[in-house]
Structures are given as C-alpha cells and as structure tokens.
Amino acid sequence: MNEDKTKDKGVEKARIVVSVSDINCVVCAKAIQKQVMKINGIKNVEPAIMLNKVFVDYDPKLVDSSTIKKAIDKTGFRSYMTIRENQQSPDKPQN
Amino acid sequence: MAKDPICGMYVDEKSAEFKATVRGTTYYFCSHTCMREFLAPEVEIRKLKIAVAVGGILTILIIILTYAAFLPMRINNYVLFVLDTPIQFYFGLRFYHGTYDAIRNRMGNMDSLIALGTSVAWGYSTVVTFFPSLLSYTAVFYDTAAAIVTLILAGRYLEHLSKGRASEAVRKLMNLQPKLAHVLRNDKEIEIPVEQIEVGDVFVVRPGEKVPVDGVVAEGHSSIDQSMITGESIPVEKNVGNEVIGGTINKTGLLKVKATKVGQDTTLSQIVKLVEEAQIGKAPIQKIADRVAAYFVPFVTIVAIASALSWYFIGNIGLQFSLLVFVSVTVIACPCALGVATPAALLVGTSKGAQNGILIKGGDYLEIARKVTAVVFDKTGTLTVGKPSVTDVVPIGKIDSDNIVRLSASVERGSEHPLAEAIEKEASARSLVVVEPSEFEAIPGKGVKAKVQEKTVVLGNRKLIAEMSVNLEIEEKITSLEEEGKTLMFLVLNGALAGVIAAADTLKEHSKETIEELKKMGIDVIMLTGDNERTARSIAGILGIERVFAEVLPQQKEAVIQKLQNEGKIVAMVGDGINDAPALAKADVGIAIGSGTDVAKETGGIVLVKEDLRDVVIAIKLSKATVRKIKQNLFWAFMYNGALIPIAAGALVPFFGAQVYNVFPFLAAGAMAFSSVTVIINSLLLERFKA
C-alpha cells in the first residue's frame, strides 16, 4: 500500500506521477516497472493502466525525476507530463 | 489568463498562439512542444481511426479478391500482395515497434504475438506468390494477415474510447474547480487564476459562482450546493465561520471567504488523488491476474509452436492447416483483458463512490468491505449527534416550563459547558429573553448560583437537592428520566426545587434506518462507547442494537475490535477519524464518517465525506457491486484466453473438420480485439449503480 509515503528510517521519500502514452497492456506496464526499478533510489513503481499513469516513489536525494522519465522513455513509451506531489526536495516545477 | 496544462505556465487567452479544443474545452499552450505533448493521446486516437478506415477498405478488397478470384491465380496473388503489404508494414508498424521494445525489455508483449502471427501469414503468402515452385501449395493468407491487423487496430481504437470514458469520472471531478477567482488585494477585487490563490487570501463568491478553493466564510451568508463533493442534494446554509469547499456552487448570497487550503491540499484535489491512488493499491484478485499475464506470452508462443508442429508431424493434416493453427493461437490470446479486468471496474466503482461522498482508498478495502459480517459503531458523535440537547422540562409548583428554561439559561449565561449550551439552545428555540445574572457564584461539585431579576437561582446536579425534601411523584419522575440515560439538572428557586431539565445526546437522523438496513443484509450491528452502561443500553434499545460494549476507554476500543475478530468476524468500524483512529486502523475496514474537508487526514479504508450514516450501507453495497463486476470481468477475460486457446490450437477438428480453421484466424482476431473492450464496457455498466 501507499500509506507510508512520508519518512521511513530517516530516508526521504517523494512521489512522482508520470503520465505515459497509452499503456495498453499489463505486460507493457510490467516492462516499465522493471526498467524504473533498476534505478538506484527507487522505492516503488506502480503503473495504473486505466489512468495511463505511473506512480513512482523515490528518494529525492538519490534520483531526480528526469532520470525516471528517461527510464520510462527507454521502454518505448513516451512519458509526456509529470505531476509532482509530496515532494520534500525544494526543486522548482519545470517550465 | 489560462494555464498551460503541460508546463503550468500562464498564458493570455487573447494573444495565445497555441490553442486546441478537445471535447468542448479549449486549452492554451505556451509553446508548440507543450501543445504537441498534450495532444499526443488525441493524435493517437485519430491515427488509429484512419488506420482502421483505410485498413478496413483494403481488407475488404483483399477478401473479395481472395474468394471471388476472377483474376488468374498468379496475378491475383500479386495484387493481393500489393494490397496487403501496406497493411502489414504501414498500419501494422506499431506491432513491430512494440516487438522491438519487448525484445529490448526482455519481455514478451501483445504486440510481439500479433507481429509474429501476422508475419507468418504474410511471409508464407509472399513465398507462395513469388516462389510458387518452392511449396506444393497455392493458397495464400493475405486475407488472414490483413483482417487480423485491421481487427486488432479496431479493437485498440474502441479500447481507447472506452478507457477514456472510464477515466472521465476522475476528470469530471477535476473540472469542478473553476479557473479564475476574485481575490481582494488592498481592498480591491482582482481576478486571478485559481492556482495563484494563497492561504489567507480573501476571495469573493457571488451567487451562481463556484467556490474556487476551500475556505472559511469571513463575511456574508448564503446556501451552497455541495452535491458534487458530498452527494447531498439539499443546499447547505453557510454563515460566518463555516467551512466552504472548493468546487461547490454558491446559490443565494454574496460570500467573502478566507482561503484555508489551496492547490494540492484542497478537498477536491485530495478526492481526485484518492480515486487515482486506489488504482495502485492492488486488490489481491488482481495480483493473480497480473502474475498470469506475465507468463502469458511465452506460454502462448510455446502452445502455438507445439500445436502447429504436432498437427504437421503427428496429425499429418498438412502445412496450411498447421500454419492457420499457429496464427490462430498467437492471435487469440490476450492478457490485456486480464490486465484491465480489475482496474477498470475499480476505477468506475471508486469514481461512483467519490461522486456520492464515499471515498474508497484502495482495491483491497473494497474487496474486504463486501465480506463484512459485523459493523461496529462508535456511539457518541457517530450514532448520536454527540452534543446533549434538552429533552424534557419538568416544572414543579406554579412555575411554567418556559420560565424554568429562561432562568436556567440566564444563570448559565456565557458558560461553555455542553449542558449550558444545550439549555441556551433550548431557550433560543423557545424564543425566550435571557437576562444577565448578577452575584454569580460557583458551588463546587454541585452547580452554580446567581441572582436573576432579584431572585436567587441555583442550578446544579443531584447533589444540590440531596438534602431537600422532594415529593414522591417528582422523585419517581426523576428516577425514570435517569433510567432513560438522561443527564438531569435541577433548578432551585428561593430555596425550593422549582424544576428539572433533562438533557440527552440525540440520535442522528438516519441511525435507525441504517441499522435496520444492515441487519436486513445479515450483518451484526455492535455499539461501542465510553459512556456508562445505562445510557448505552437505552440508546441501543431505541436503535435495536443487541450487542453493546459500554464504558470502554478510548485505548481499549482497539481490543474490542480484536475480540470480535477473534470470534471470526470480519469487522468494519464506523467512527470519527480522529478519536477512533486506532480502532479504525485495527478493523478490517475502518470507515471514517463526516470528514468534511479533511479527507486526506482520515484513518480508515473508507472515508465518508458527509455525516450521513446511510452511506455506510451504500459503501458496502457499492463494494459488493464493484467486486461482482471484477469477477465478471475476470470470467470474461479467462474465457477469452483460457477456453479459446485450445479451440484455436485445433480442438474443433474432431467435430467440424479442419475446414473450420480456414476462417478461424478471423474469429480469433475478433475475439482478441474485443476482449478488453468487452471488459471495459462491462465495467462502465457500474455507472448505473444507484446510491
């Protein structure tokens, strides 16, 4: 579950929601999950097929959102929009 | 000013160069890149539409030429090759792209199966067309390849549309928030985008306008239609100090509101977030489906190869038949339907809940909620209003009941004690004039004493009259009121008992109805309270609750839930999310009631926005309906895949002969193309759920 999104053992956790061009099958969703999970600092990756979104929990000290975006793009999907939430890092929203 | 939906920049509508209208709403963009990104899904739908239309025409031509065969065989084959090849490699390019990605990710996907099946059909036909001498067969399968690609594309197109419909409910919620707000800055009203409102800003909402963000009324009064957030159909009166929710509609008066929650923190944003996040808290049922899906592609490929080889070498039916079997198997199988079975129903179900002020935090809660066998209600504040109100006024002697209330209210004037508030409320309900007392004095452990209009008035508890002589009739009356669980206050006037005021916590409007309904559903109803046994029993008696846990300290509530769980019950606990938080967390499903604007802070798997107990019943019913849909969906998905694979592999041969398989790939493609669409459309039927 996604309850403990605040702090866990002093490690910071942030969540980013990435919209992805049509995820039309579970297997593709799994591919995204696998690819993003490879990155150091990623806690959890949950694709939501119906919303065409991927929820990524990560440690903002170790990874930034553009690395995550790149990893998703690498699977052949186009991630075209990012929504930030629960961010503890002070970086500004992209323009 | 409008906001660029991609980068969030503010764009002036008048001078905006880049704009696009999608389903009735015009969006403005800062740059071409942003616009292109935003339109990507739309472009995709349009592309699919064109592919289906053009591919469809070509496919029909191919089928006519294949079966009418009025041209000489060799020439006919060349024509078919020319017609099919663009379908295979232009419209079907996406399948090769997908296959490439699949190989890179070392995971088989649907695209790879389709690319494999159609490539075999196209490749074989091409060999026959150009090198007829290589094989002893002359038949080609351009029609099969073309029909598969076109049907699958048609399926994807419909899937796109239906998926859009399913996620529309979430989008509808987001669109409730107005784009602009009138904010007061330096006493001047200015119009700014909603995103720029800051906490503490005061904004103006005129009748007919939507409240931009959550806030507290600072000036004015009005009634507000909150149906879009809470599901309650009757507008709610708002006065100074009342909370208003962003997205609701101001009906009658002008309001000045001080913003308390903006941006991601507004109730509306939180609701949308909860509905979206419910998609990722995986229901156990879905985990199984996902695991099956992961092994699907390799499994299907093996089945396809094995059955083709068996028919060729063991069945000896021939190369053509084996080929058709191979194509049928690769094309019929689709884990997609399995993949969307749960999320589609879940999305429609949770959105439906959100529209009615019922927020379900995840698929797992939904799945347990339908199995609940016992519902535990906290008494105070949940079944009852939580504040005492005056129920009986007993005058003794010549005095009338209005005077008792008036004098009592005067003595208690200004006190913030809940009982004092109850009396004050009663006084204003009776439109009595309360006067300022003098010589006010507290009598410790007993009550208060004051002079009201030259009379010495004392108001207090039982101890106050302990040494007074009270006649038997009155004594009996007092005892019976006490047995009803009421709190009594005694009014002593010039040294003699003049009246008794009884106050009790009153039931909420729909408590009884809700409990009856739950019992009808075969669910045990249990009451939990910190109050004394007598009060608890009396309320339980009125409501028809047999099992009561009274005098339970807040920290013991959890243990009571545990006890019920040990009895083998699946327990739902209904209470307020703050005081009952541990018990809510302990229960199989915690239902936090009356959260108002604090939807995010609440503990519990289900959050009820409004204070209407009937929503408990609706939540359980909705969870039943949604899980029923999920099961239907999974049934269809397994049917499409499980049952049709053996048939595609040749199981029909003993019954209908090998001939059936000449057309079977078409059926297979059709089945696959529409499997996910069936599942999504079936889920959309949940929208008809009546709350």
Side-chain angles (χ1 to χ4, degrees), chain B residues 29-158:
Chain B
F29 305 92
C30 66
S31 68
H32 189 64
T33 326
C34 280
M35 185 166 82
R36 219 177 47 205
E37 277 183 17
F38 180 77
L39 289 175
E42 301 301 322
V43 169
E44 174 71 11
I45 287 186
R46 201 174 314 145
K47 261 195 199 159
L48 274 170
K49 208 166 155 182
I50 293 167
V52 172
V54 180
I57 294 167
L58 288 175
T59 306
I60 290 166
L61 280 177
I62 291 171
I63 291 172
I64 292 171
L65 284 175
T66 306
Y67 292 95
F70 44 79
L71 293 170
M73 179 76 99
R74 287 286 309 263
I75 296 165
N76 201 21
N77 284 357
Y78 285 129
V79 175
L80 289 175
F81 172 81
V82 171
L83 290 174
D84 182 40
T85 306
I87 298 183
Q88 183 69 26
F89 296 103
Y90 182 70
F91 297 127
L93 186 62
R94 62 179 64 233
F95 301 123
Y96 291 106
H97 270 306
T99 309
Y100 171 67
D101 292 334
I103 293 167
R104 266 195 326 173
N105 297 322
R106 284 190 211 91
M107 276 181 129
N109 60 15
M110 274 323 298
D111 287 348
S112 39
L113 287 178
I114 296 157
L116 183 64
T118 55
S119 299
V120 167
W122 176 87
Y124 172 85
S125 306
T126 307
V127 172
V128 172
T129 306
F130 291 97
F131 312 100
S133 52
L134 278 181
L135 298 156
S136 49
Y137 304 94
T138 50
V140 288
F141 298 109
Y142 290 119
D143 56 332
T144 310
I148 292 170
V149 171
T150 309
L151 277 168
I152 305 266
L153 289 177
R156 290 250 166 113
Y157 173 64
L158 291 176

Side-chain angles (χ1 to χ4, degrees), chain B residues 602-622:
Chain B
E602 299 286 355
T603 339
I606 298 177
V607 175
L608 306 178
V609 179
K610 58 179 186 287
E611 295 232 9
D612 190 333
L613 278 170
R614 289 175 300 180
D615 284 352
V616 173
V617 177
I618 296 172
I620 294 175
K621 285 188 174 163
L622 180 66

